[in-house]
Amino acid sequence: MKDFLKDGTELRLQIKDLVFSYMKSKQECSVYSKGMKQAEIFRECGLDWGTHENATSSQQVFWIVGLLRELERENKIQRIEKLWKLK
């Protein structure tokens, strides 16, 4: 039987790695830079499904907050005002 919880957990970890790798590759996210908006990170990582009824791009972006907060808790990134960057 398929273990959906396990598969979902693995996907979340892969996406977290994708986002962190993306942030490490962007000058805008470097320690001494201003940072990037979460919506921009979300879209640039290919996580936006496009606009759909009751699921606009702006609404979809909110699920990445948990991922960014996990990276923050791991002391890898920080939020300065409304922008995210490496720590």
Side-chain angles (χ1 to χ4, degrees):
M1 183 173 191
K2 187 156 182 68
D3 188 341
F4 291 99
L5 183 59
K6 179 179 177 246
D7 290 351
T9 300
E10 289 173 7
L11 280 172
R12 283 196 324 275
L13 292 173
Q14 290 173 13
I15 294 168
K16 186 170 78 169
D17 287 343
L18 171 81
V19 168
F20 188 54
S21 293
Y22 171 78
M23 291 180 74
K24 290 191 298 187
S25 76
K26 297 300 288 184
Q27 178 64 33
E28 297 92 327
C29 292
S30 72
V31 174
Y32 302 107
S33 292
K34 184 177 172 182
M36 289 180 75
K37 292 181 179 182
Q38 69 188 24
E40 188 176 4
I41 296 168
F42 176 77
R43 291 183 185 105
E44 290 293 317
C45 287
L47 302 173
D48 188 344
W49 289 78
T51 298
H52 300 281
E53 185 178 345
N54 297 327
T56 65
S57 176
S58 295
Q59 291 168 319
Q60 294 171 38
V61 78
F62 289 109
W63 80 265
I64 199 173
V65 175
L67 182 154
L68 293 171
R69 291 295 182 186
E70 277 288 309
L71 289 170
E72 181 183 45
R73 185 183 61 78
E74 294 169 3
N75 212 27
K76 294 179 178 178
I77 66 172
Q78 61 184 327
R79 185 173 187 215
I80 307 295
E81 296 181 22
K82 294 187 178 188
L83 303 175
W84 292 92
K85 65 182 196 171
L86 299 174
K87 193 162 186 180

